[in-house]
Amino acid sequence: MTPTYYLLLSALLFAIGAVGVLVRRNAIVVFMCIELMLNSVNLSLVTFARINGELDGQVMAFFVMVVAAAEVVVGLAIIMAIFRARRSASVDDTNLLKY
Amino acid sequence: MTSFSQAAVVLAQQGGEDVVGTGEAIAFWVLGPLALAGGLGMIFVRNAVHSALWLVVSMLSFGVLYIVQSAPFLGFTQIIVYTGAVMMLFLFVLMMAGRDSADSMVEVLRGQRLLAALFGIGFATLLVGALARSLVNVQAQVPPDPYDPARGGGAGGLGRLVFTDFLFAFELTAALLIVAALAGIVLAYRDRREGPKRSQRDLVEARFRGEYKRRSPQPGPGVFATGNSVATPALLPDGSIAPESLSELIESTNTARLIAEQDRVLGSQAEHDDSRALLAGEDEQGSEQEGERK
């Protein structure tokens, strides 16, 4: 095998995450699908770093992790706020900007 | 599907690169399907908590794959940050907000699932085909030894890069984390005081059920020509002080003076015309006497 297999794996998982974002209706699960997409991109970045024999890709994956952590905090807080207002975490119920 | 088979053929032809050892191949073929199963399970399981657990499987596989690819720092960070912190946060929020929210089978947009599945298959085919065709002649370099920081591998090399080449991005990251922490506080803050306001009728009923000590409202402070402060005691019809009108806080801080004034108001030592007194004081003499006493 070659390191290319890792890239194929990450492409497949990215597609799975994208389909999950489109299909699932629970906002938290949609958020988890986004996390899966971020993770698969991380895998490809690490693989690129390994193919090039450099560490730059790993640094970028590290930054992606930091941004993902910040994003999780804000996103989950927003989901909690919406849940408090609407008593529902479904993306179908959130069809108004207010209330 | 043809591109998948093409990719397999192309990749099989160039197999046997020296960089990828047998152990790594075994790890990949065990963990790769596991990660895929985790992703698929997350999509197809209806219960949100089960979805989160499948995602944990996927993320753990990712972490081990990083370690296998000579990125041990990222691998452990993945396990600690993602499966340790982020997924626990997800489960925490799920238990609060989405525990009973199994996805409904009702399609709000007709045909959306079918179209999404088609999109996913097409996207994956395109991506995999393009990657497999474009990366045919990949000559993988030997990565820097992650356990030899002196030669620029592993966490030491990462740290050097973060603080030299990527310093500005790193500082932006610091700002981002601060903003995210503030946003979390602001968005998750709930004003505990809000809630259904009790109507007057509710309060009356609560009083007569014995929720409060008195059934009538508390007497307010006394209001006279020159003083309407909370410290002014209210007077009952017979001229005596209504004890409940005295503020506990003020009483406890200024007891001595208030007692003297209470006595004066009660008439026991009525000495001068006090605006708070109902009983007429005698004259200037009294106040002088009082001044001498002080």
Side-chain angles (χ1 to χ4, degrees):
Chain A
M1 67 172 279
T2 70
T4 314
Y5 281 100
Y6 289 107
L7 298 177
L8 302 188
L9 174 67
S10 99
L12 285 177
L13 276 161
F14 189 89
I16 289 175
V19 171
V21 169
L22 292 175
V23 166
R24 296 305 297 259
R25 298 266 67 87
N26 188 334
I28 302 171
V29 180
V30 169
F31 215 58
M32 291 196 291
C33 293
I34 294 174
E35 290 300 312
L36 183 67
M37 291 163 80
L38 285 171
N39 265 290
S40 63
V41 171
N42 267 355
L43 179 65
S44 63
L45 286 175
V46 171
T47 309
F48 286 138
R50 183 255 184 92
I51 289 174
N52 287 330
E54 294 286 336
L55 284 177
D56 289 358
Q58 289 191 28
V59 175
M60 287 176 200
F62 179 67
F63 282 132
V64 170
M65 278 188 189
V66 175
V67 172
E71 172 226 344
V72 162
V73 170
V74 177
L76 285 182
I78 290 174
I79 290 175
M80 280 307 295
I82 291 175
F83 178 77
R84 272 198 219 116
R86 316 258 332 179
R87 309 309 297 167
S88 163
S90 170
V91 289
D92 283 333
D93 294 339
T94 315
N95 49 9
L96 293 174
L97 281 179
K98 209 176 170 188
Y99 309 119
Chain B
M1 285 306 112
T2 53
S3 64
F4 277 107
S5 55
Q6 277 175 358
V9 169
V10 168
L11 290 171
Q13 282 170 354
Q14 54 168 314
E17 299 282 340
D18 49 353
V19 183
V20 181
T22 316
E24 182 178 348
I26 293 172
F28 176 81
W29 287 116
V30 171
L31 292 170
L34 212 57
L36 274 182
L40 288 174
M42 180 184 69
I43 288 188
F44 287 120
V45 169
R46 284 187 63 202
N47 189 322
V49 178
H50 294 173
S51 279
L53 295 179
W54 277 111
L55 185 59
V56 167
V57 170
S58 202
M59 285 183 169
L60 280 175
S61 313
F62 272 127
V64 181
L65 282 179
Y66 294 166
I67 295 173
V68 165
Q69 284 197 289
S70 66
F73 177 73
L74 278 185
F76 286 113
T77 311
Q78 168 86 8
I79 292 172
I80 292 168
V81 171
Y82 267 111
T83 58
V86 170
M87 288 318 294
M88 288 312 110
L89 200 61
F90 266 113
L91 283 175
F92 202 73
V93 173
L94 267 180
M95 294 299 169
M96 283 200 291
R99 61 197 176 281
D100 54 347
S101 52
D103 265 12
S104 69
M105 299 304 285
V106 181
E107 273 187 323
V108 177
L109 302 172
R110 201 150 50 86
Q112 190 210 3
R113 285 190 187 147
L114 183 66
L115 284 178
L118 283 178
F119 161 78
I121 292 172
F123 187 63
T125 311
L126 207 63
L127 217 51
V128 168
L131 279 175
R133 282 192 160 262
S134 61
L135 297 173
V136 166
N137 288 319
V138 172
Q139 294 295 328
Q141 309 291 315
V142 179
D145 183 9
Y147 303 104
D148 186 9
R151 294 177 55 196
L158 267 185
R160 207 193 59 243
L161 275 179
V162 160
F163 284 106
T164 53
D165 293 353
F166 294 87
L167 182 62
F168 186 59
F170 186 65
E171 286 171 352
L172 287 182
T173 302
L176 176 78
L177 283 178
I178 291 173
V179 173
L182 279 179
I185 293 169
V186 169
L187 288 172
Y189 175 71
R190 175 166 46 174
D191 198 351
R192 296 270 171 199
R193 288 169 298 177
E194 70 183 329
K197 202 176 173 185
R198 302 179 85 176
S199 67
Q200 212 166 8
R201 178 162 195 88
D202 292 338
L203 280 174
V204 168
E205 287 176 358
R207 280 205 188 95
F208 278 88
R209 285 202 196 95
E211 198 171 307
Y212 299 95
K213 265 186 260 175
R214 291 170 62 98
R215 286 180 186 167
S216 66
Q218 296 276 343
V223 177
F224 298 103
T226 60
N228 59 354
S229 83
V230 189
T232 314
L235 299 178
L236 295 173
D238 60 349
S240 62
I241 287 175
E244 283 162 317
S245 71
L246 298 173
S247 163
E248 279 180 30
L249 197 67
I250 294 168
E251 288 302 294
S252 63
T253 52
N254 208 358
T255 314
R257 181 166 166 270
L258 266 181
I259 284 177
E261 287 185 1
Q262 283 168 20
D263 289 340
R264 216 183 308 139
V265 170
L266 280 171
S268 53
Q269 291 180 7
E271 283 153 350
H272 64 110
D273 281 337
D274 188 355
S275 64
R276 296 171 192 166
L278 280 191
L279 301 175
E282 286 157 9
D283 49 8
E284 294 285 312
Q285 212 179 358
S287 61
E288 279 176 15
Q289 281 176 1
E290 192 191 12
E292 282 169 12
R293 260 187 281 135
K294 282 179 183 172

